[in-house]
Every structure is written in C-alpha cells, then in structure tokens.
Amino acid sequence: MPPSVFIVSDGTGITAETFAHSILAQFDQKFRLVHVPFVDSIDKAYATVQKINEAVALDGRRPIVFTTLVDSASNEVVKGCNALVLDMFQTFIEPLEHELEIKSTHAMGRVHQNADTEEYKNRIEAINFSLAHDDGQSNRNLAEADVILVGVSRSGKTPTSLYLAMQYGVKAANYPLIPEDFERGKLPTPLLEHRTKMFGLSIDPQRLAEIRNERRPGSKYAAIENCRFEINEAESMMKREGIKWLSSTHKSIEEIATTILQEIKPERPSHY
Amino acid sequence: MPPSVFIVSDGTGITAETFAHSILAQFDQKFRLVHVPFVDSIDKAYATVQKINEAVALDGRRPIVFTTLVDSASNEVVKGCNALVLDMFQTFIEPLEHELEIKSTHAMGRVHQNADTEEYKNRIEAINFSLAHDDGQSNRNLAEADVILVGVSRSGKTPTSLYLAMQYGVKAANYPLIPEDFERGKLPTPLLEHRTKMFGLSIDPQRLAEIRNERRPGSKYAAIENCRFEINEAESMMKREGIKWLSSTHKSIEEIATTILQEIKPERPSHY
C-alpha cells in the first residue's frame, strides 16, 4: 500500500500539486495522490481533516499532507490532523514578511491571474495566435510572433508552441520544414525576414520514424531512410542559416520551452 | 526600485517559479523577477552567487532567492550569497525522509516526465486529440474523449480543452452550441450518447460581446442582444439536458479546469 498524499488548497491546488510532484519525484516510492481543492471555509477544513484521518486507519500509517492554505484559521484546523503536514505557505510567508517589513495580505485565490487582467487577456490572445499559426497555417501577422519554431513534421513544434503561449503568454508560431524546402535548399520565403525569432527543433530519426509510424504505418513518410534524410537536411539547413536549435528526443515540453526562452529572450513580464 | 527575486533551479525552474508566484502574490508590492534555470554544476552555482550579489549593490537591498537545487553541494554554494534564501527543497525533503524512513535520491531533472515515458506519450496524444477535436471539427472517436466541453462561441472552450490536455493528459474535445442547435432545441446529435462526459461553459453576455467585438467589430455575432439570446438559450439547454456547467467570466483557465476534473472525474493517474 503506497503512502497517501493529500494536496490541500483553498484554490485549484495546482501550485501545491506541481510542488508536491517535484518533491515526491525524489523518492523511489509510489504514492497515492488525493486532491482536495477549494478548501475555502472552516467547515471544509474540518471535512478535510476527517478525510485525512480516515486514511490513517485504511493505510495503517500517517499520510503526508501538502497545504497551501492562506487563511490562518483553516490552516490551524488542517494542521490538527494525524499526518505529516508540510505547510508550504506559512513556512515561507513569515521570513518574507520579516525581510520585506510588510505584512502579507492573506487574500485567497491570488495565484492565478484573474480573467479580467491585461496579463490574462494577453495569454488568451497568445493561445489564439499560436493556434492560428500552427503548422504554417497562416503567414499573416508573422511580424507579431515572439517566437517562430521550425522543424520537420512531428518534431514537437505544436505542443511546444502551445505550452509557450499557455504558460508564458508568448506568441509562438510554428512552421514545418518540408521536402520542397530541402530541394530548394532555402528556408520557406515568409520566414526569411524573421530569422532572429526563429528556433529549430530536431529529433532522433529512429524516434521520429516511430512517431510517424503510429500516424501513417508503413508509409514513405514514416520510413527510417526518409526520416534520416529529412533530419539530416533540416539540421544542415539550420546550421547554414545560423538558426539555433535543439534535439527534442529526450526533453520534456517544459525543458524545450525554457531553453527557447533563454535563447530567444522574447519580452516577458518580469515585474508583477 | 522593486526588490529583486531570483528563481534558481537545476532544471527549468517552472516549479520554483509557480511557487514563488503564489507566495509573492500575497504581498502588495512589485517585484523584479530574474530566472536562473539549469544551474546543474558547482561553477554555475558560483556564477549565480555572483549575479545575486551584484544585485545587492544595484538595488541597495538584499534580494530574495527561491531555490530548488537537488545537489547539496551546489545548494550550499548558493546559500552563501547575500540574500534571503528560501530553500524549497531541503526544507521539505528532510522531514519527508524521516517520515518515510528512506533517503531521497538527490537525482536532478526528475520533475518533468521524461519524453520516453508512457505518461508523457499520453500527454502528447491528449494534446493532439484536443487539437483535432477543437470547435466540433471532428466527430471521429468522440467515444475516446475523457471530457466534452460545450458552450457558445468564445465562451472559453478552446483554452480550457488545451489546458486539460497539456496539464493533465485529459483528452478534451469541445463542441460549439450554435443558433441552429437553439432552433432545433436539441443538443448536436453526435453528442447525445456522451452526456456523462459533457460539461458546459457559459459567460456573462456583456463580456462575451466585448470578446466577440474584438474579433468581428460591429457584427450581429458580437451584438449584445445576440449574445444575451445565445447565452440564455445555451443555459436553458444545459439545464434541460442535465449538463453541469459554470460561468467562465471571472475564472482563470486553471480554476475552470480544476472544477471540471472534480465534476467529471475522468481517469487520471493517481499513483506515480
């Protein structure tokens, strides 16, 4: 029976979950995750304690509880449960209050940008932009793009573009490099004036063949020789054109996106 | 001059950034964020300390540093800087080691799913599914969907579907409710057999008119009377058909997604 881990939050719990995930990944051990979002009243805090204490009996051991409760009273209630409580909030708020010499607001639901803010609208606009400029669908407003990803079909451009838009509000277009481009030996014409915003994705040919075979089994498109050819041509072109690129083979979307931001440095809000 | 905040990580820094964001949102104060990802060697740790200490002179005050460094030696180096260091990692790893009676692995780069894992492939598959089933584009394989979002045009279905796929690996289709559906007084036929997976998004008509006017200024589509009519019809239909729904007007994508997961409860990996 893996230990139970409760993620208790007064909001979505996404911050707590992201953090718990990164901490728990440090243990060679399975865990059973239980999400308890929207704990925004004392009653819900008591109900949560009951749920946690029931797990003690079921599991035969104390659970682990990650909390990000802003309200001190609810937080005190939850801390009364029979578990190892890792209080992510209080632990850091107090030293910060001391350092900044101001009190925290203890306002709930501050984590995610409110749907009415300018920043939030920018993010939605970036998602729409990235969708409209997926896979070279449109050359309109390419000048507005913060980043233009290039690479052969199925090298990871679409998820990366959407992640950049969703997470960072970065307008990320993506453009495929196709056999016709390799024959001409030139980048697609609409991209030529945007070289400084371009970033390339490559991928191991073997892996590319696997991915393409899932879509179109046995096709020339998916054949290993064709994948080798396309990757070889694409990498040569990127080198020749001075475009920075990376291999997506063993990287997560998050790692690819972070690397691109470091290299291209689009404007991002650094104050808030 | 707002205080400088350094986000120091041996990986992407996304966990640290998410967490710092939620903590700093508790202070009515602007901050200047500096991202220092991929600090995966002692040399880079020393370079980071230098960067932090330079900020002391520039700002005339100590910066705040959020760290998630797995490597103890690098962590010790960074802790030697002249700043308030909030060590998110060590703070929680030690009590966990004690509770679980096992040592943590101290392995770097464990946070994001490796591109070779099954879970990661599922996530990419979910993103592709959600893209292919955006805005009622395809009725193929709707049975495979975990969630089907419905609502009038521009009620927030697309960003929510993509977020569910990207963050949770949930296959989220979305389907528009259009004037023809209201005339017939029935849900679109392809959806009828999938009622248990459906979730509705509504929105304040005034807000909807604003959003639509940005796309098609002065159109009937964007007119406030038309928006009122569509929203009224859509909400009546959802009530009549027993479909759970919420208003997206003042909610972030994250809040909408979390609520949907609570209501629809698609299968999600709860062990890892």
Side-chain angles (χ1 to χ4, degrees):
Chain A
M1 190 81 174
S4 296
V5 174
F6 287 80
I7 314 279
V8 180
S9 165
D10 47 43
T12 62
I14 292 169
T15 303
E17 186 177 352
T18 306
F19 189 63
H21 189 95
S22 81
I23 295 276
L24 296 175
Q26 287 297 312
F27 292 91
D28 277 330
Q29 155 98 50
K30 293 220 170 244
F31 298 94
R32 184 178 74 93
L33 285 200
V34 185
H35 300 89
V36 193
F38 304 123
V39 178
D40 51 10
S41 70
I42 291 281
D43 284 355
K44 288 185 190 168
Y46 278 113
T48 306
V49 168
Q50 201 181 335
K51 207 168 166 183
I52 294 168
N53 289 346
E54 281 164 13
V56 182
L58 283 169
D59 296 358
R61 67 188 295 170
R62 299 205 295 177
I64 294 149
V65 179
F66 286 87
T67 67
T68 49
L69 295 172
V70 172
D71 179 58
S72 319
S74 300
N75 202 30
E76 282 313 306
V77 170
V78 171
K79 279 184 164 171
C81 71
N82 182 13
L84 172 69
V85 179
L86 301 173
D87 180 347
M88 298 163 55
F89 223 79
Q90 296 304 326
T91 307
F92 295 117
I93 286 288
E94 276 171 33
L96 263 174
E97 286 183 336
H98 194 254
E99 181 76 15
L100 296 169
E101 296 175 338
I102 50 175
K103 283 278 166 196
S104 67
T105 57
H106 282 258
M108 278 190 268
R110 284 270 193 121
V111 180
H112 305 296
Q113 298 151 8
N114 188 291
D116 306 322
T117 62
E118 205 53 37
E119 203 178 334
Y120 191 77
K121 282 180 196 159
N122 287 344
R123 203 174 146 206
I124 298 290
E125 207 184 304
I127 295 171
N128 289 333
F129 183 93
S130 294
L131 280 173
H133 294 80
D134 183 38
D135 204 31
Q137 271 179 68
S138 167
N139 298 327
R140 274 187 59 200
N141 310 329
L142 271 185
E144 265 184 47
D146 298 308
V147 172
I148 302 172
L149 296 180
V150 291
V152 304
S153 165
R154 299 285 115 186
S155 54
K157 301 183 300 298
T158 296
T160 306
S161 303
L162 290 173
Y163 187 83
L164 282 166
M166 185 94 69
Q167 181 79 9
Y168 299 108
V170 163
K171 289 182 180 167
N174 75 76
Y175 223 93
L177 295 179
I178 57 176
E180 286 75 358
D181 300 316
F182 305 139
E183 272 167 39
R184 292 190 310 126
K186 280 185 184 163
L187 285 173
T189 315
L191 303 185
L192 291 176
E193 54 180 313
H194 303 295
R195 211 169 301 221
T196 54
K197 299 195 281 196
M198 286 172 66
F199 194 93
L201 294 188
S202 194
I203 185 171
D204 173 60
Q206 189 65 47
R207 177 65 183 274
L208 182 63
E210 283 165 33
I211 297 171
R212 288 183 171 187
N213 260 308
E214 278 172 32
R215 292 207 122 192
R216 299 203 214 148
S219 63
K220 188 203 163 199
Y221 166 78
I224 179 69
E225 310 78 53
N226 182 54
C227 292
R228 268 201 209 103
F229 169 77
E230 285 193 27
I231 288 297
N232 191 28
E233 290 288 321
E235 293 186 357
S236 304
M237 186 180 279
M238 293 189 287
K239 277 176 208 161
R240 209 164 54 229
E241 302 278 349
I243 296 166
K244 287 180 186 166
W245 57 280
L246 59 75
S247 167
S248 67
T249 315
H250 299 290
K251 287 198 157 63
S252 66
I253 303 173
E254 289 85 349
E255 287 164 332
I256 300 169
T258 309
T259 305
I260 291 168
L261 291 179
Q262 276 204 303
E263 295 289 347
I264 304 282
K265 296 195 180 29
E267 275 186 47
R268 289 166 61 190
S270 67
H271 291 66
Y272 61 90
Chain B
M1 190 81 176
S4 296
V5 174
F6 287 80
I7 314 279
V8 180
S9 165
D10 47 42
T12 61
I14 292 169
T15 303
E17 185 175 354
T18 306
F19 189 63
H21 189 95
S22 80
I23 294 275
L24 297 175
Q26 287 297 311
F27 293 91
D28 276 330
Q29 155 97 51
K30 293 219 171 244
F31 298 95
R32 184 179 74 92
L33 285 199
V34 186
H35 301 89
V36 194
F38 304 121
V39 178
D40 52 10
S41 70
I42 292 280
D43 284 355
K44 289 185 190 166
Y46 278 113
T48 305
V49 169
Q50 201 181 336
K51 207 167 165 182
I52 295 168
N53 289 346
E54 281 164 12
V56 183
L58 284 168
D59 296 359
R61 67 190 294 174
R62 299 204 296 177
I64 293 149
V65 180
F66 287 88
T67 66
T68 50
L69 295 172
V70 172
D71 179 59
S72 320
S74 300
N75 202 30
E76 282 312 305
V77 170
V78 171
K79 279 184 164 171
C81 71
N82 181 13
L84 172 69
V85 180
L86 302 172
D87 180 347
M88 298 164 55
F89 222 80
Q90 295 304 326
T91 307
F92 295 118
I93 285 287
E94 276 171 31
L96 262 174
E97 286 182 337
H98 195 254
E99 181 76 16
L100 296 169
E101 295 177 337
I102 50 174
K103 282 280 167 194
S104 68
T105 57
H106 282 258
M108 279 189 268
R110 283 270 194 121
V111 181
H112 306 295
Q113 299 151 10
N114 188 291
D116 306 321
T117 63
E118 205 53 35
E119 203 178 333
Y120 191 78
K121 281 180 197 161
N122 288 344
R123 201 174 148 207
I124 299 290
E125 206 184 305
I127 295 171
N128 289 331
F129 184 93
S130 294
L131 280 174
H133 294 79
D134 182 39
D135 204 30
Q137 269 178 67
S138 167
N139 299 326
R140 275 186 59 199
N141 312 328
L142 272 185
E144 265 184 48
D146 298 307
V147 172
I148 302 173
L149 296 180
V150 292
V152 304
S153 166
R154 297 285 115 188
S155 54
K157 300 183 301 299
T158 297
T160 306
S161 304
L162 290 173
Y163 187 83
L164 282 166
M166 184 92 71
Q167 183 79 9
Y168 298 110
V170 163
K171 288 182 180 169
N174 76 75
Y175 222 93
L177 295 179
I178 56 176
E180 286 77 355
D181 300 317
F182 305 139
E183 273 167 37
R184 291 190 311 127
K186 282 184 181 163
L187 285 173
T189 316
L191 302 185
L192 292 176
E193 54 181 314
H194 303 295
R195 212 169 300 222
T196 54
K197 298 194 283 197
M198 285 171 68
F199 193 93
L201 294 187
S202 194
I203 185 170
D204 173 61
Q206 191 64 48
R207 178 63 184 273
L208 182 63
E210 282 165 32
I211 296 171
R212 288 182 170 188
N213 260 311
E214 277 172 33
R215 291 207 123 192
R216 298 202 215 149
S219 63
K220 188 202 164 202
Y221 166 79
I224 179 69
E225 311 79 52
N226 182 53
C227 291
R228 268 200 210 101
F229 169 78
E230 286 193 27
I231 287 296
N232 191 29
E233 290 288 321
E235 291 185 358
S236 306
M237 185 179 280
M238 293 190 286
K239 277 176 205 158
R240 209 164 57 228
E241 302 277 350
I243 295 167
K244 287 180 185 163
W245 57 279
L246 59 74
S247 166
S248 67
T249 314
H250 299 292
K251 287 198 157 61
S252 65
I253 303 174
E254 288 84 351
E255 287 164 333
I256 300 169
T258 308
T259 305
I260 292 168
L261 292 179
Q262 276 205 303
E263 296 289 347
I264 303 281
K265 294 197 183 21
E267 276 186 43
R268 289 168 61 194
S270 68
H271 291 67
Y272 60 89

